Amino acid sequence: MKKTVNRILFSLLLMIAGVEAGAQAIDSMMAVYAQGFPKEKIHIHFDKQLYNPDETIWYKVYLMAANEPSPLSKNMYVEWYDTTGKMIKQTVAPLYLSSAKGSFDIPADYKGSFIHLKAFTRWMLNDDTAFLYERDLAINTASASASPKKTIPRTTSVGVFPEGGSLVMGLNSRIAFKAVNPYGLPVLIKGVLVNDKKEVIDSLRVKHDGMGMFNLQPLPGEKYQLNWTDEFGAKGITPLPEAKLQGTAMNIRTTNEKAVVVIQRTANADESFKQMHLLIHMNQELLYKVSIRMQERLIQRAEIPIDELPTGIVQFTLFNNDWIPLAERVIFVNNHFHEFNAKLNPITVDLDKRKKNVFEIVVSDTTVANFSVAVTDAGVISPDQHTIFSDFLISNDLKGYVHNPAYYFISDADSITANLDLVMMTNGWRKFDWDKIKAGEAPRLKYLPETSYMSLKGTVFGAKNISTNDPLQLNFILVGKDSSKTILFAPVDKEGNFEDPGVFFYDTVRVMYNFNANNKLSAQTQVKIENGLLRKEPGTTTLLGKGQPMYIWSDSISRLRMNYFLSEQEKLRRSMASATLQEVIVKTKLKNPLQIMDEKYASGLFSGGDGYSFDLTEDRLAAAVDLFTYLQGRVPGLQISNAGSQPSLSWRGATPDLFLNEMRSDISAVQTLNMLDVAYIKVFRPPFFGSFGGGSGGAIAIYTKKGGDARRASPDSKGMDKTVLGGYSRFREFYSPSYEKPPASFEADVRNTLYWNPYIITNKKTPRFRVDFYNNDISKKLQIVLEGMNQDGKLIRIVKLLE
């Protein structure tokens, strides 16, 4: 990964420096673009597709670049908008293994029928905004119950798309068409192709989702149009583009092994059309360069092998001898090289109320794999129109709305392949600016990649007016909401700028600062402090793109099931609200001893979290052994070998990080601890974000006893200026209840999402992962959705029903 980043940054330097135009061939410049300006793509796995107000949206973001996990970015930005385009919230999360987790709480009083979200990295902002990830999530509110007959606009538009981009007189061409409403949803039409004499040349037939195709050989002096009638009875006319008097046409058909390219030219075409060049490229990388000799022929055929190409969109660009682009076309290649193998094996299935269910994820591949899994009520299943396959391999590379792209991966049937080719012909795609390529002109980059996490940075205004022999330095104290304290030092350069990249925190911190050895400088300067992350304030508006109107959905079984969940949740809220004070006191959960220990000892990223906790002040056996002997066998999955002598640690194929009083430590230091001095131990499951590099092996935090029960004294220091600085967004942790023991009080369990885990990591040493969860009070059939990506950029998606 580090080599990849260095290669990209080196290419960026070349691009910023400029490229000699005359000395660079097109294929060489394409290589510069591929290495220096790779396109990042996003897929988001949501726990489900339909939500009620006051529910939490759980999600996992995956990031790729050029068919591999992107090493380029470290921060993921997600913006949440209401139906008017007004931003509700922006969240920022750190990327780990080219992925990030998050959550969004839908307001209880939200009235909109959908929530729109936009996700991107800083690097992606250099690209066309049409390729940013955007999605609408349906919300089951009163406005969502509107009848489709009243809400679907009945205005139909029909677009026509000649293969290769244009029509040429006398050359036979295939022309695709697509009929849609204002939201981009497909519309069924029927009609005819006529010339300007009103003679019928061909009939129109929709093959799939409003799309179809017909053939035409334009004749001199004739113009053509489509006369059509849509499914609502409305009539319309769509004129075809005017045919060129001379030129070329390109037709491409595919088999499993090859792409057959047929190139035609007119007899009156000039000399530059008699020697042409065909470039076949993918992800900006040149695959084939073919010379097409047309001196003595008007039709030429080329067969391009595609059976060894990676899965995805392949572009064909035809140039004349002067390297002027004449025709372009994209095809989709699916050799299933994008998949890796995994199995989801149910072990225990019990769908009675609050019963335990168990399944296991088994990966045969030895490469590190990164998964997310959701278990939801199968009665609220809305067909997934977007999957990890369709987002990364289709939607992210095409412009405009693609209806139900997940459909094109359900099988390899010839009909589906032909329908997907219609999508390729009727949508725009990522294109090179060939004039810039030929001129050796690099992309204009406004944003450099974020190859590190957040930082403490800013500017000292007035620093240039200070005369001092000693270099300026700022001292910082960062205080978290839990009173955790971090001390940093940042030198100030001649321009007044400073930066310390060693900062990582969630939510907000209080920042206190002064100038080293010279407090009087604070009165002569003004210090602006930032975290290095992009920020957008709530209330900002955006233009919502055309997409499927998520609020248009009929009163289906899924809709009724969602209303049932909503009514049960409302009953639970009303019963809790009407409880007497005495009842509330009885139901209040007192903090257990481990929670009290956690508040007393843990802070920042070490507080709370997913793992195991041990209070050694109440464990008499702790004094009789060393720390690793004490932990041996107490934490499932944590392997401790040679405890007591020269121990070694392993968890899911990686080594857990060790922390002593939240400072990084090692085995030798921890092993010598007197167990009588140890008060509290926390063992965090992998990954642990408090570790440098993401903590793929989890972490063990050891706390020594304090002199008393008092918390740390306030870190405020006199004579220091203060401000508040925001960090990464604080997200909820998914709570999965355990009914192994009967609860002290009975409250209805009406969870729609029964299990959500955004980070399941497997590798050669630990290829299995066991999932335990308990059913709610009402579900009788459950759906498991597993998605993931491995270190080689291979993808997986498994859907299984439990019934």
Side-chain angles (χ1 to χ4, degrees):
M1 181 176 290
K2 186 174 181 181
K3 290 181 178 179
T4 304
V5 174
N6 289 339
R7 186 187 72 236
I8 292 171
L9 294 178
F10 178 70
S11 299
L12 286 173
L13 292 175
L14 290 178
M15 294 159 65
I16 294 169
V19 180
E20 293 290 336
Q24 292 293 327
I26 285 181
D27 50 352
S28 298
M29 195 61 194
M30 289 176 66
V32 172
Y33 271 65
Q35 293 185 6
F37 194 58
K39 308 295 186 181
E40 287 187 320
K41 308 174 188 180
I42 287 174
H43 165 68
I44 300 183
H45 179 192
F46 299 96
D47 64 310
K48 54 186 179 180
Q49 301 301 313
L50 310 174
Y51 295 88
N52 282 324
D54 203 28
E55 286 190 328
T56 298
I57 299 171
W58 306 98
Y59 63 92
K60 164 80 168 284
V61 184
Y62 294 90
L63 183 67
M64 294 188 76
N67 289 339
E68 66 178 16
S70 176
L72 199 54
S73 298
K74 291 296 185 183
N75 302 310
M76 178 59 61
Y77 302 87
V78 181
E79 296 172 354
W80 303 83
Y81 296 89
D82 64 15
T83 52
T84 67
K86 182 179 179 181
M87 192 174 81
I88 306 171
K89 186 179 183 181
Q90 182 202 47
T91 60
V92 188
L95 285 157
Y96 167 72
L97 292 179
S98 301
S99 60
K101 65 176 181 177
S103 63
F104 176 80
D105 294 332
I106 305 170
D109 59 351
Y110 188 74
K111 304 301 182 184
S113 54
F114 67 92
I115 282 180
H116 181 84
L117 66 96
K118 183 184 298 184
F120 54 90
T121 65
R122 185 191 293 258
W123 177 249
M124 291 174 67
L125 297 178
N126 291 303
D127 204 358
D128 188 333
T129 56
F131 296 108
L132 298 183
Y133 180 96
E134 296 193 56
R135 190 73 75 242
D136 291 341
L137 296 177
I139 309 300
N140 182 36
T141 58
S143 61
S145 62
S147 169
K149 294 183 180 180
K150 296 181 180 180
T151 55
I152 296 181
R154 293 188 175 183
T155 303
T156 300
S157 62
V158 179
V160 291
F161 308 88
E163 186 173 18
S166 60
L167 296 175
V168 181
M169 288 289 182
L171 302 184
N172 188 42
S173 296
R174 292 194 303 169
I175 303 170
F177 66 87
K178 180 164 68 172
V180 297
N181 70 11
Y183 292 104
L185 293 175
V187 176
L188 184 65
I189 65 168
K190 59 182 179 180
V192 291
L193 168 68
V194 300
N195 60 17
D196 49 6
K197 300 175 185 177
K198 298 185 179 180
E199 297 173 335
V200 176
I201 299 171
D202 201 352
S203 61
L204 304 182
R205 185 172 69 90
V206 171
K207 288 188 62 179
H208 178 70
D209 281 348
M211 300 177 291
M213 187 186 301
F214 58 90
N215 290 281
L216 175 66
Q217 183 174 344
L219 299 177
E222 285 193 355
K223 295 182 179 180
Y224 306 91
Q225 68 182 36
L226 302 182
N227 295 338
W228 49 266
T229 304
D230 68 16
E231 60 187 86
F232 307 111
K235 298 181 181 297
I237 295 174
T238 301
L240 269 63
E242 188 173 345
K244 297 179 179 179
L245 297 177
Q246 65 173 9
T248 184
M250 180 172 64
N251 168 259
I252 303 176
R253 297 176 188 269
T254 62
T255 67
N256 291 334
E257 294 79 26
K258 59 190 175 182
V260 180
V261 184
V262 177
I263 298 172
Q264 309 171 67
R265 72 168 177 88
T266 56
N268 61 349
D270 61 42
E271 289 296 317
S272 66
F273 286 77
K274 295 180 181 180
Q275 174 70 48
M276 290 188 270
H277 308 279
L278 181 62
L279 298 187
I280 298 99
H281 47 103
M282 185 180 194
N283 293 323
Q284 304 184 110
E285 294 188 7
L286 184 63
L287 303 175
Y288 301 105
K289 184 177 181 181
V290 183
S291 293
I292 309 294
R293 299 181 181 275
M294 304 282 287
Q295 288 89 344
E296 300 177 358
R297 307 185 67 170
L298 298 180
I299 300 178
Q300 187 64 275
R301 172 188 172 107
E303 295 185 355
I304 310 299
I306 59 175
D307 54 332
E308 295 296 327
L309 296 183
T311 302
I313 293 176
V314 180
Q315 302 183 31
F316 290 70
T317 307
L318 181 67
F319 299 84
N320 67 9
N321 203 35
D322 296 328
W323 288 98
I324 297 173
L326 304 174
E328 285 195 291
R329 167 85 148 92
V330 294
I331 66 170
F332 190 82
V333 173
N334 187 358
N335 295 315
H336 294 279
F337 293 157
H338 62 286
E339 299 170 292
F340 71 97
N341 293 321
K343 293 182 180 179
L344 199 158
N345 299 326
I347 297 175
T348 302
V349 178
D350 190 341
L351 300 181
D352 288 340
K353 290 183 179 181
R354 304 193 178 194
K355 293 299 183 180
K356 186 176 183 179
N357 292 266
V358 182
F359 63 89
E360 187 178 48
I361 300 164
V362 182
V363 184
S364 56
D365 199 315
T366 60
T367 306
V368 174
N370 179 8
F371 299 93
S372 50
V373 64
V375 182
T376 57
D377 184 286
V380 193
I381 295 177
S382 174
D384 283 338
Q385 296 193 10
H386 305 275
T387 68
I388 195 168
F389 297 142
S390 65
D391 276 344
F392 278 138
L393 301 174
I394 295 180
S395 301
N396 280 313
D397 284 323
L398 294 180
K399 269 190 174 182
Y401 173 71
V402 179
H403 185 66
N404 192 15
Y407 154 80
Y408 302 104
F409 292 91
I410 62 176
S411 82
D412 292 328
D414 291 342
S415 59
I416 293 180
T417 301
N419 293 338
L420 179 54
D421 198 47
L422 287 173
V423 174
M424 297 297 108
M425 291 184 66
T426 57
N427 281 81
W429 60 88
R430 295 180 186 268
K431 295 184 179 181
F432 279 115
D433 186 327
W434 294 110
D435 290 335
K436 290 183 178 180
I437 291 287
K438 289 189 294 182
E441 183 178 338
R444 296 180 180 179
L445 299 180
K446 184 178 179 181
Y447 300 94
L448 291 177
E450 290 180 315
T451 55
S452 61
Y453 294 111
M454 62 185 296
S455 60
L456 183 70
K457 62 183 298 185
T459 304
V460 178
F461 296 98
K464 294 181 180 180
N465 302 324
I466 298 173
S467 57
T468 176
N469 295 327
D470 299 323
L472 293 180
Q473 176 180 293
L474 280 168
N475 306 326
F476 294 95
I477 299 178
L478 277 58
V479 185
K481 288 185 174 180
D482 54 4
S483 299
S484 60
K485 180 171 60 176
T486 303
I487 300 175
L488 299 171
F489 309 98
V492 182
D493 65 21
K494 294 181 180 179
E495 300 298 320
N497 300 316
F498 61 89
E499 181 172 7
D500 188 327
V503 178
F504 192 106
F505 62 89
Y506 289 89
D507 207 343
T508 60
V509 296
R510 285 183 297 140
V511 181
M512 290 164 284
Y513 60 93
N514 63 9
F515 287 91
N516 190 52
N518 195 342
N519 289 333
K520 295 181 180 179
L521 291 180
S522 297
Q524 306 173 35
T525 59
Q526 183 178 356
V527 181
K528 179 183 179 181
I529 303 175
E530 299 174 310
N531 60 14
L533 301 175
L534 296 173
R535 287 293 181 189
K536 186 179 288 187
E537 294 300 321
T540 305
T541 58
T542 189
L543 181 63
L544 300 183
K546 290 183 179 180
Q548 180 180 0
M550 298 298 299
Y551 56 91
I552 299 175
W553 48 313
S554 62
D555 287 334
S556 62
I557 296 176
S558 293
R559 173 63 184 263
L560 295 174
R561 187 69 172 171
M562 285 293 289
N563 287 332
Y564 177 64
F565 272 99
L566 185 60
S567 64
E568 290 298 314
Q569 291 163 357
E570 284 297 325
K571 287 180 183 178
L572 177 60
R573 276 193 286 269
R574 285 196 299 268
S575 66
M576 294 179 68
S578 62
T580 64
L581 178 60
Q582 183 178 0
E583 289 173 331
V584 172
I585 294 174
V586 170
K587 291 183 178 181
T588 297
K589 296 180 180 179
L590 297 176
K591 294 178 181 178
N592 62 43
L594 285 177
Q595 289 175 322
I596 295 173
M597 290 292 288
D598 200 72
E599 288 187 359
K600 180 178 180 180
Y601 285 94
S603 64
L605 294 173
F606 293 86
S607 60
D610 181 21
Y612 304 87
S613 300
F614 304 93
D615 181 0
L616 274 70
T617 62
E618 300 296 331
D619 193 339
R620 296 181 180 180
L621 297 177
V625 294
D626 65 88
L627 186 137
F628 296 115
T629 303
Y630 175 80
L631 289 177
Q632 200 168 30
R634 291 174 179 260
V635 179
L638 175 62
Q639 298 178 11
I640 302 177
S641 303
N642 301 322
S645 54
Q646 295 180 340
S648 62
L649 311 177
S650 177
W651 204 349
R652 297 183 189 172
T655 302
D657 294 319
L658 299 176
F659 294 86
L660 180 58
N661 294 326
E662 300 183 358
M663 300 294 291
R664 190 66 179 266
S665 188
D666 55 32
I667 288 179
S668 59
V670 170
Q671 190 181 19
T672 58
L673 282 175
N674 186 335
M675 292 296 287
L676 293 173
D677 295 331
V678 177
Y680 186 47
I681 300 174
K682 295 193 70 176
V683 183
F684 296 91
R685 294 188 182 94
F688 175 59
F689 290 101
S691 296
F692 180 78
S696 60
I700 301 173
I702 305 102
Y703 297 87
T704 56
K705 293 178 180 178
K706 296 182 178 180
D709 292 333
R711 297 183 60 87
R712 298 181 182 91
S714 173
D716 291 356
S717 300
K718 294 182 178 180
M720 300 188 77
D721 293 311
K722 304 176 182 65
T723 187
V724 175
L725 185 65
Y728 288 116
S729 304
R730 172 70 71 180
F731 297 113
R732 287 181 180 268
E733 292 291 335
F734 184 83
Y735 172 68
S736 184
S738 173
Y739 295 126
E740 188 171 355
K741 296 180 180 180
S745 60
F746 186 87
E747 293 178 357
D749 186 344
V750 291
R751 294 170 297 132
N752 195 331
T753 298
L754 290 93
Y755 181 83
W756 167 253
N757 190 338
Y759 273 108
I760 295 174
I761 312 297
T762 64
N763 52 36
K764 182 178 181 179
K765 293 184 178 180
T766 55
R768 298 173 179 269
F769 187 90
R770 178 187 171 104
V771 173
D772 300 357
F773 70 93
Y774 290 84
N775 194 16
N776 57 25
D777 292 339
I778 54 181
S779 294
K780 297 301 180 183
K781 183 167 68 172
L782 306 177
Q783 177 179 264
I784 305 172
V785 177
L786 174 77
E787 291 193 327
M789 173 175 67
N790 71 12
Q791 207 168 32
D792 295 331
K794 307 294 185 181
L795 310 174
I796 188 71
R797 176 179 168 85
I798 299 175
V799 179
K800 187 176 287 290
L801 291 177
L802 301 181
E803 53 186 334

